Amino acid sequence: GCILNGKLYPFGRIERTQDCLWCNCNQEEIYCCSLYHTPINYDKEKCKVVFNKITCNYDVVEKDNPSKECFVYSRV
């Protein structure tokens, strides 16, 4: 298998690691891509970005009321 951040994963496709990555593990290497997209265009005065490890995504919420989501215009 492959070791990533101290955790052993089996050879083959890894749908989701504990760090929210999709990986492919073989005898020569492990190749990973993130499962999330970073918000870049939102109301930065009113809102803040919070990483949600359950959904493997960034939530953009109001600074004064984190229970309310903010509109995100674009992500990368």
Side-chain angles (χ1 to χ4, degrees):
C2 298
I3 296 178
L4 180 66
N5 295 330
K7 184 168 180 187
L8 178 64
Y9 292 94
F11 288 129
R13 182 179 173 135
I14 303 158
E15 293 295 326
R16 178 180 167 176
T17 69
Q18 64 187 13
D19 298 318
C20 294
L21 300 172
W22 170 93
C23 299
N24 191 20
C25 167
N26 61 47
Q27 291 180 348
E28 289 84 39
E29 66 181 351
I30 184 167
Y31 172 81
C32 299
C33 293
S34 65
L35 291 172
Y36 49 88
H37 299 283
T38 306
I40 57 168
N41 194 358
Y42 60 92
D43 185 344
K44 292 176 177 66
E45 295 292 319
K46 181 180 173 185
C47 305
K48 66 180 180 177
V49 175
V50 179
F51 190 72
N52 183 333
K53 256 195 150 168
I54 294 169
T55 63
C56 284
N57 204 5
Y58 284 102
D59 296 330
V60 182
V61 296
E62 289 185 7
K63 291 177 182 177
D64 294 337
N65 186 357
S67 66
K68 291 181 104 179
E69 287 190 38
C70 295
F71 185 77
V72 178
Y73 299 98
S74 60
R75 295 176 183 256
V76 292

Coordinates of all heavy atoms in Angstrom, one line a residue:
G1 N 0.8 -1.2 0.0 CA 0.0 0.0 0.0 C 0.9 1.2 0.0 O 2.1 1.2 -0.2
C2 N 0.2 2.4 0.2 CA 0.9 3.7 0.2 C 0.6 4.4 1.5 O -0.5 4.2 2.1 CB 0.3 4.6 -0.9 SG 0.6 3.9 -2.6
I3 N 1.6 5.1 2.0 CA 1.4 5.9 3.2 C 1.3 7.4 2.9 O 2.1 7.9 2.1 CB 2.6 5.7 4.2 CG1 2.7 4.2 4.6 CG2 2.5 6.6 5.4 CD1 3.8 3.9 5.5
L4 N 0.2 8.0 3.4 CA 0.0 9.4 3.2 C -0.3 10.0 4.5 O -1.3 9.6 5.2 CB -1.2 9.6 2.2 CG -1.6 11.0 1.8 CD1 -0.4 11.7 1.1 CD2 -2.8 11.0 1.0
N5 N 0.5 11.0 4.9 CA 0.3 11.7 6.2 C 0.2 10.7 7.4 O -0.7 10.8 8.2 CB -0.9 12.6 6.1 CG -0.7 13.7 5.2 OD1 0.4 14.2 4.9 ND2 -1.8 14.2 4.6
G6 N 1.0 9.7 7.3 CA 1.1 8.7 8.4 C 0.0 7.6 8.4 O 0.0 6.8 9.3
K7 N -0.9 7.6 7.4 CA -1.9 6.6 7.3 C -1.6 5.7 6.1 O -1.3 6.2 5.0 CB -3.3 7.2 7.2 CG -4.4 6.2 7.2 CD -5.7 6.7 7.4 CE -6.7 5.6 7.4 NZ -8.1 6.0 7.4
L8 N -1.8 4.4 6.3 CA -1.6 3.4 5.2 C -2.9 3.2 4.4 O -3.9 2.9 5.0 CB -1.1 2.1 5.8 CG -0.9 0.9 4.8 CD1 0.2 1.2 3.9 CD2 -0.6 -0.4 5.6
Y9 N -2.8 3.3 3.1 CA -3.9 3.1 2.2 C -3.6 1.9 1.3 O -2.4 1.8 0.9 CB -4.2 4.4 1.4 CG -4.7 5.5 2.2 CD1 -3.9 6.5 2.7 CD2 -6.1 5.6 2.5 CE1 -4.3 7.5 3.5 CE2 -6.6 6.7 3.2 CZ -5.7 7.6 3.7 OH -6.2 8.7 4.5
P10 N -4.6 1.2 0.8 CA -4.3 0.0 -0.1 C -4.0 0.5 -1.5 O -4.3 1.6 -1.9 CB -5.6 -0.7 0.0 CG -6.7 0.3 0.2 CD -6.0 1.3 1.2
F11 N -3.3 -0.4 -2.2 CA -3.1 -0.1 -3.7 C -4.4 0.1 -4.4 O -5.4 -0.5 -4.0 CB -2.3 -1.2 -4.3 CG -0.9 -1.3 -3.9 CD1 -0.3 -2.5 -3.5 CD2 0.0 -0.2 -4.0 CE1 1.0 -2.6 -3.1 CE2 1.3 -0.3 -3.6 CZ 1.8 -1.5 -3.2
G12 N -4.4 0.9 -5.4 CA -5.6 1.2 -6.2 C -6.2 2.6 -5.9 O -5.5 3.4 -5.4
R13 N -7.4 2.7 -6.3 CA -8.1 4.0 -6.2 C -8.6 4.2 -4.8 O -9.2 3.3 -4.2 CB -9.3 4.0 -7.2 CG -10.1 5.3 -7.2 CD -11.2 5.2 -8.2 NE -12.0 6.3 -8.1 CZ -12.5 7.0 -9.2 NH1 -12.2 6.6 -10.4 NH2 -13.2 8.1 -9.0
I14 N -8.4 5.4 -4.3 CA -8.8 5.7 -2.9 C -9.8 6.9 -3.1 O -9.5 8.0 -3.5 CB -7.6 6.2 -2.0 CG1 -6.6 5.1 -2.0 CG2 -8.1 6.6 -0.7 CD1 -5.2 5.6 -1.6
E15 N -11.1 6.6 -2.8 CA -12.2 7.5 -3.1 C -12.1 8.8 -2.2 O -12.4 9.9 -2.7 CB -13.5 6.9 -2.9 CG -13.9 5.8 -3.9 CD -14.0 6.3 -5.3 OE1 -14.5 7.4 -5.5 OE2 -13.6 5.5 -6.2
R16 N -11.6 8.6 -1.0 CA -11.5 9.8 -0.1 C -10.6 9.5 1.1 O -10.8 8.5 1.8 CB -12.9 10.1 0.4 CG -12.9 11.3 1.4 CD -14.3 11.6 1.9 NE -14.3 12.5 3.0 CZ -15.3 13.0 3.6 NH1 -16.5 12.7 3.2 NH2 -15.2 13.8 4.7
T17 N -9.6 10.3 1.2 CA -8.7 10.1 2.4 C -9.2 11.0 3.5 O -10.1 11.7 3.4 CB -7.2 10.6 2.0 OG1 -7.3 12.0 1.9 CG2 -6.7 10.0 0.8
Q18 N -8.6 10.8 4.7 CA -9.0 11.6 5.9 C -8.7 13.1 5.7 O -9.3 13.9 6.4 CB -8.2 11.1 7.1 CG -6.7 11.3 7.1 CD -6.1 10.6 8.3 OE1 -6.7 9.8 9.0 NE2 -4.8 10.9 8.5
D19 N -7.9 13.5 4.7 CA -7.6 14.9 4.3 C -8.4 15.4 3.1 O -8.0 16.4 2.5 CB -6.1 15.0 4.1 CG -5.3 14.7 5.3 OD1 -5.7 15.1 6.4 OD2 -4.3 14.0 5.2
C20 N -9.5 14.7 2.8 CA -10.3 15.1 1.7 C -9.6 15.1 0.3 O -9.7 16.0 -0.4 CB -11.0 16.4 2.0 SG -12.1 16.4 3.4
L21 N -8.9 14.0 0.1 CA -8.2 13.9 -1.2 C -8.7 12.6 -1.9 O -9.1 11.6 -1.3 CB -6.7 13.8 -1.0 CG -6.0 14.9 -0.4 CD1 -4.5 14.6 -0.1 CD2 -6.1 16.2 -1.2
W22 N -8.7 12.6 -3.2 CA -8.9 11.4 -4.0 C -7.6 11.0 -4.5 O -6.8 11.8 -5.0 CB -9.8 11.8 -5.2 CG -9.9 10.7 -6.2 CD1 -10.8 9.7 -6.3 CD2 -9.0 10.4 -7.3 NE1 -10.6 8.8 -7.3 CE2 -9.5 9.3 -8.0 CE3 -7.9 11.0 -7.8 CZ2 -8.8 8.7 -9.1 CZ3 -7.2 10.5 -8.9 CH2 -7.7 9.4 -9.5
C23 N -7.2 9.7 -4.4 CA -5.8 9.3 -4.7 C -5.9 8.0 -5.5 O -6.8 7.2 -5.5 CB -5.0 9.1 -3.5 SG -4.8 10.5 -2.4
N24 N -4.7 7.8 -6.2 CA -4.5 6.5 -6.9 C -3.1 6.1 -6.4 O -2.1 6.8 -6.5 CB -4.5 6.7 -8.4 CG -4.4 5.4 -9.1 OD1 -4.8 4.4 -8.6 ND2 -4.0 5.4 -10.4
C25 N -3.1 4.9 -5.8 CA -1.9 4.4 -5.2 C -1.4 3.1 -6.0 O -2.2 2.2 -6.2 CB -2.2 4.0 -3.7 SG -1.0 3.0 -2.9
N26 N -0.1 3.1 -6.3 CA 0.5 1.9 -7.0 C 1.8 1.7 -6.3 O 2.3 2.4 -5.4 CB 0.5 2.0 -8.5 CG 1.4 3.2 -9.0 OD1 2.5 3.4 -8.5 ND2 0.8 4.0 -9.9
Q27 N 2.6 0.7 -6.9 CA 3.9 0.4 -6.2 C 4.9 1.4 -6.4 O 5.9 1.5 -5.6 CB 4.4 -1.0 -6.8 CG 3.5 -2.1 -6.4 CD 4.0 -3.4 -6.9 OE1 4.8 -3.5 -7.8 NE2 3.4 -4.5 -6.4
E28 N 4.8 2.3 -7.4 CA 5.8 3.4 -7.6 C 5.5 4.7 -6.9 O 6.4 5.4 -6.6 CB 5.9 3.6 -9.1 CG 6.6 2.5 -9.9 CD 5.7 1.4 -10.3 OE1 4.5 1.7 -10.7 OE2 6.1 0.2 -10.2
E29 N 4.2 5.0 -6.8 CA 3.8 6.4 -6.3 C 2.4 6.4 -5.8 O 1.6 5.5 -6.1 CB 4.0 7.4 -7.4 CG 3.0 7.2 -8.6 CD 3.2 8.3 -9.7 OE1 4.0 9.2 -9.5 OE2 2.5 8.1 -10.7
I30 N 2.1 7.5 -5.2 CA 0.7 7.9 -4.9 C 0.4 9.2 -5.5 O 1.2 10.2 -5.3 CB 0.4 7.8 -3.3 CG1 -1.1 8.1 -3.1 CG2 1.3 8.8 -2.6 CD1 -1.5 7.7 -1.7
Y31 N -0.7 9.3 -6.2 CA -1.1 10.6 -6.9 C -2.4 11.0 -6.3 O -3.3 10.2 -6.3 CB -1.1 10.4 -8.4 CG -1.7 11.6 -9.1 CD1 -0.9 12.6 -9.4 CD2 -3.1 11.6 -9.5 CE1 -1.5 13.7 -10.1 CE2 -3.6 12.7 -10.1 CZ -2.8 13.8 -10.4 OH -3.3 14.8 -11.1
C32 N -2.5 12.3 -5.9 CA -3.7 12.7 -5.2 C -4.2 14.1 -5.8 O -3.4 14.9 -6.3 CB -3.5 12.9 -3.7 SG -3.0 11.4 -2.9
C33 N -5.5 14.3 -5.7 CA -6.2 15.5 -6.1 C -7.2 15.9 -5.0 O -7.7 15.0 -4.4 CB -7.0 15.4 -7.4 SG -6.0 15.1 -8.9
S34 N -7.4 17.1 -4.8 CA -8.3 17.5 -3.8 C -9.8 17.3 -4.2 O -10.1 17.4 -5.4 CB -8.1 19.0 -3.4 OG -8.4 19.8 -4.5
L35 N -10.6 17.0 -3.3 CA -12.1 16.8 -3.5 C -12.9 18.1 -3.4 O -14.1 18.1 -3.6 CB -12.6 15.8 -2.6 CG -12.1 14.4 -2.8 CD1 -12.6 13.5 -1.6 CD2 -12.6 13.8 -4.1
Y36 N -12.2 19.2 -3.1 CA -12.9 20.5 -2.8 C -12.4 21.6 -3.7 O -11.3 21.5 -4.3 CB -12.7 20.9 -1.4 CG -11.3 20.8 -0.9 CD1 -10.5 21.9 -1.0 CD2 -10.8 19.7 -0.3 CE1 -9.2 21.9 -0.6 CE2 -9.5 19.7 0.1 CZ -8.7 20.8 -0.1 OH -7.4 20.7 0.3
H37 N -13.2 22.6 -3.8 CA -12.9 23.8 -4.6 C -12.9 25.0 -3.7 O -13.8 25.2 -2.9 CB -13.9 24.0 -5.8 CG -13.9 22.9 -6.7 ND1 -13.0 22.7 -7.7 CD2 -14.8 21.8 -6.9 CE1 -13.2 21.6 -8.4 NE2 -14.3 21.1 -7.9
T38 N -11.9 25.8 -3.8 CA -11.7 27.0 -2.9 C -12.6 28.2 -3.4 O -12.4 28.6 -4.6 CB -10.3 27.4 -2.8 OG1 -9.5 26.2 -2.4 CG2 -10.0 28.5 -1.8
P39 N -13.4 28.7 -2.6 CA -14.2 29.9 -2.9 C -13.2 31.1 -3.1 O -12.4 31.3 -2.2 CB -15.1 30.1 -1.8 CG -14.8 29.1 -0.8 CD -13.7 28.3 -1.2
I40 N -13.4 31.9 -4.2 CA -12.5 33.0 -4.4 C -13.3 34.3 -4.6 O -12.8 35.4 -4.4 CB -11.6 32.8 -5.6 CG1 -12.3 32.5 -6.9 CG2 -10.5 31.7 -5.3 CD1 -11.5 32.6 -8.1
N41 N -14.6 34.2 -5.0 CA -15.3 35.4 -5.2 C -16.6 35.4 -4.4 O -17.6 34.7 -4.8 CB -15.6 35.5 -6.7 CG -16.1 36.9 -7.2 OD1 -16.3 37.7 -6.3 ND2 -16.4 37.0 -8.4
Y42 N -16.6 36.1 -3.3 CA -17.7 36.2 -2.4 C -17.6 37.5 -1.6 O -16.6 38.2 -1.7 CB -17.8 35.0 -1.5 CG -16.6 34.8 -0.6 CD1 -16.5 35.4 0.7 CD2 -15.5 34.1 -1.1 CE1 -15.4 35.3 1.4 CE2 -14.3 34.0 -0.3 CZ -14.3 34.5 1.0 OH -13.2 34.4 1.7
D43 N -18.6 37.9 -0.9 CA -18.5 39.1 -0.1 C -17.6 39.0 1.1 O -18.0 38.5 2.1 CB -19.9 39.5 0.3 CG -20.0 40.8 1.1 OD1 -19.0 41.4 1.5 OD2 -21.1 41.4 1.2
K44 N -16.3 39.4 0.9 CA -15.3 39.2 2.0 C -15.5 40.1 3.2 O -15.0 39.8 4.2 CB -13.9 39.4 1.4 CG -13.6 38.3 0.4 CD -12.3 38.5 -0.3 CE -11.9 37.4 -1.2 NZ -12.7 37.2 -2.4
E45 N -16.3 41.2 3.0 CA -16.6 42.0 4.2 C -17.6 41.4 5.1 O -17.5 41.5 6.3 CB -17.1 43.4 3.7 CG -16.1 44.2 2.9 CD -15.0 44.7 3.7 OE1 -15.2 45.2 4.8 OE2 -13.8 44.7 3.2
K46 N -18.6 40.7 4.5 CA -19.7 40.2 5.3 C -19.5 38.7 5.6 O -20.1 38.2 6.6 CB -20.9 40.4 4.5 CG -22.2 39.9 5.1 CD -23.4 40.2 4.1 CE -24.6 39.5 4.7 NZ -25.8 39.7 3.8
C47 N -18.7 38.0 4.8 CA -18.6 36.5 5.0 C -17.2 36.0 5.3 O -16.2 36.7 5.0 CB -19.1 35.9 3.7 SG -20.8 36.5 3.2
K48 N -17.2 34.8 5.7 CA -15.9 34.1 6.0 C -16.0 32.7 5.4 O -17.1 32.1 5.3 CB -15.6 34.1 7.5 CG -16.5 33.3 8.3 CD -16.1 33.3 9.8 CE -17.1 32.5 10.6 NZ -16.7 32.5 12.0
V49 N -14.8 32.1 5.2 CA -14.7 30.7 4.7 C -14.4 29.7 5.8 O -13.5 30.0 6.6 CB -13.7 30.7 3.6 CG1 -13.5 29.2 3.1 CG2 -14.0 31.6 2.4
V50 N -15.1 28.6 5.9 CA -14.9 27.6 6.9 C -14.8 26.3 6.2 O -15.7 25.9 5.4 CB -16.0 27.6 8.0 CG1 -15.8 26.5 9.0 CG2 -16.2 29.0 8.6
F51 N -13.7 25.5 6.5 CA -13.6 24.2 5.9 C -14.5 23.1 6.6 O -14.4 23.0 7.8 CB -12.2 23.7 5.8 CG -12.0 22.4 5.0 CD1 -12.2 22.5 3.6 CD2 -11.8 21.2 5.5 CE1 -12.0 21.4 2.8 CE2 -11.7 20.1 4.8 CZ -11.8 20.2 3.4
N52 N -15.3 22.4 5.9 CA -16.2 21.4 6.5 C -15.6 20.0 6.1 O -15.7 19.6 5.0 CB -17.6 21.5 5.9 CG -18.6 20.6 6.5 OD1 -18.2 19.5 6.9 ND2 -19.8 21.0 6.5
K53 N -15.0 19.3 7.1 CA -14.3 18.0 6.8 C -15.3 16.9 6.6 O -15.0 15.9 6.1 CB -13.4 17.7 8.0 CG -12.0 17.9 7.6 CD -11.1 17.2 8.6 CE -9.8 16.8 7.8 NZ -8.7 16.3 8.6
I54 N -16.6 17.1 7.0 CA -17.6 16.1 6.8 C -18.0 16.1 5.3 O -18.1 15.0 4.7 CB -18.9 16.4 7.7 CG1 -18.5 16.2 9.1 CG2 -20.0 15.4 7.3 CD1 -19.5 16.7 10.1
T55 N -18.2 17.2 4.7 CA -18.6 17.3 3.3 C -17.4 17.5 2.3 O -17.5 17.4 1.1 CB -19.5 18.5 3.0 OG1 -18.8 19.7 3.3 CG2 -20.8 18.3 3.8
C56 N -16.2 17.7 2.9 CA -14.9 17.9 2.1 C -15.2 19.1 1.2 O -14.9 19.1 0.0 CB -14.5 16.7 1.3 SG -13.7 15.5 2.3
N57 N -15.7 20.2 1.8 CA -15.9 21.4 1.0 C -15.8 22.6 1.9 O -15.9 22.5 3.1 CB -17.3 21.4 0.4 CG -17.5 22.2 -0.8 OD1 -16.5 22.8 -1.3 ND2 -18.7 22.3 -1.3
Y58 N -15.6 23.8 1.3 CA -15.6 25.0 2.0 C -17.0 25.6 2.1 O -17.7 25.7 1.1 CB -14.7 26.1 1.3 CG -13.2 25.8 1.5 CD1 -12.4 25.2 0.5 CD2 -12.6 26.2 2.7 CE1 -11.1 25.0 0.7 CE2 -11.2 25.9 2.9 CZ -10.5 25.4 1.9 OH -9.1 25.1 2.1
D59 N -17.4 26.0 3.3 CA -18.7 26.7 3.5 C -18.3 28.1 3.6 O -17.4 28.5 4.2 CB -19.4 26.2 4.7 CG -19.8 24.7 4.7 OD1 -20.1 24.2 3.6 OD2 -19.8 24.1 5.8
V60 N -19.2 29.0 3.0 CA -19.0 30.4 3.1 C -20.2 30.9 3.8 O -21.4 30.8 3.4 CB -18.9 31.1 1.7 CG1 -18.7 32.6 1.8 CG2 -17.7 30.5 0.9
V61 N -20.0 31.5 5.0 CA -21.0 31.8 5.9 C -20.8 33.3 6.4 O -19.7 33.8 6.3 CB -21.1 30.9 7.2 CG1 -21.4 29.5 6.7 CG2 -19.8 31.0 7.9
E62 N -21.9 33.9 6.9 CA -21.8 35.2 7.4 C -21.0 35.3 8.7 O -21.1 34.4 9.5 CB -23.2 35.8 7.7 CG -24.1 36.0 6.5 CD -25.4 36.7 6.8 OE1 -25.7 37.0 8.0 OE2 -26.2 36.8 5.9
K63 N -20.1 36.3 8.8 CA -19.3 36.4 9.9 C -20.1 36.6 11.2 O -19.8 36.0 12.3 CB -18.4 37.6 9.8 CG -17.3 37.4 8.7 CD -16.5 38.7 8.6 CE -15.4 38.5 7.5 NZ -14.6 39.7 7.2
D64 N -21.2 37.4 11.1 CA -22.0 37.7 12.3 C -23.0 36.6 12.6 O -23.5 36.6 13.7 CB -22.7 39.0 12.1 CG -21.8 40.2 12.1 OD1 -20.6 40.1 12.6 OD2 -22.1 41.3 11.5
N65 N -23.3 35.8 11.6 CA -24.3 34.7 11.8 C -23.9 33.5 11.0 O -24.4 33.3 9.9 CB -25.7 35.2 11.4 CG -26.8 34.2 11.7 OD1 -26.5 33.1 12.2 ND2 -28.0 34.5 11.4
P66 N -23.0 32.7 11.5 CA -22.5 31.5 10.8 C -23.5 30.5 10.4 O -23.2 29.6 9.6 CB -21.5 30.9 11.8 CG -21.1 32.0 12.7 CD -22.3 32.8 12.8
S67 N -24.7 30.6 10.9 CA -25.8 29.7 10.4 C -26.3 30.1 9.1 O -27.1 29.3 8.4 CB -26.9 29.6 11.5 OG -27.6 30.8 11.6
K68 N -26.0 31.3 8.6 CA -26.5 31.7 7.3 C -25.4 31.6 6.2 O -24.3 32.1 6.5 CB -27.0 33.2 7.4 CG -28.2 33.3 8.2 CD -28.7 34.8 8.2 CE -29.8 35.0 7.3 NZ -30.3 36.4 7.3
E69 N -25.7 31.0 5.1 CA -24.7 30.8 4.1 C -24.7 32.1 3.2 O -25.7 32.8 3.1 CB -25.1 29.6 3.2 CG -24.8 28.3 3.8 CD -25.0 27.2 2.9 OE1 -24.6 27.3 1.7 OE2 -25.5 26.1 3.3
C70 N -23.5 32.3 2.6 CA -23.3 33.4 1.7 C -23.3 32.9 0.3 O -22.9 31.8 0.0 CB -22.0 34.2 2.0 SG -22.0 35.0 3.6
F71 N -23.6 33.7 -0.7 CA -23.5 33.4 -2.1 C -22.1 33.4 -2.5 O -21.4 34.4 -2.2 CB -24.4 34.3 -2.9 CG -24.4 33.9 -4.4 CD1 -25.2 32.9 -4.8 CD2 -23.6 34.6 -5.3 CE1 -25.3 32.5 -6.1 CE2 -23.7 34.2 -6.6 CZ -24.5 33.1 -7.1
V72 N -21.7 32.4 -3.3 CA -20.3 32.3 -3.8 C -20.4 32.4 -5.3 O -21.1 31.7 -6.0 CB -19.6 31.0 -3.4 CG1 -18.2 30.9 -4.1 CG2 -19.6 30.8 -1.9
Y73 N -19.7 33.4 -5.9 CA -19.8 33.7 -7.3 C -18.9 32.8 -8.1 O -19.2 32.4 -9.2 CB -19.4 35.1 -7.6 CG -20.3 36.1 -7.0 CD1 -20.0 36.7 -5.7 CD2 -21.6 36.4 -7.5 CE1 -20.9 37.6 -5.1 CE2 -22.5 37.3 -6.9 CZ -22.1 37.9 -5.7 OH -23.0 38.7 -5.1
S74 N -17.7 32.4 -7.5 CA -16.8 31.4 -8.2 C -15.9 30.7 -7.3 O -15.6 31.2 -6.2 CB -16.0 32.1 -9.3 OG -15.2 33.2 -8.7
R75 N -15.4 29.5 -7.7 CA -14.5 28.7 -6.9 C -13.4 28.2 -7.9 O -13.6 28.1 -9.1 CB -15.2 27.5 -6.3 CG -16.3 27.8 -5.3 CD -17.0 26.6 -4.8 NE -18.1 26.9 -3.9 CZ -18.0 26.7 -2.6 NH1 -16.9 26.2 -2.1 NH2 -19.0 27.0 -1.8
V76 N -12.3 27.9 -7.3 CA -11.2 27.3 -8.1 C -10.7 26.0 -7.4 O -11.0 25.8 -6.3 CB -9.9 28.2 -8.3 CG1 -10.3 29.4 -9.1 CG2 -9.4 28.6 -6.9

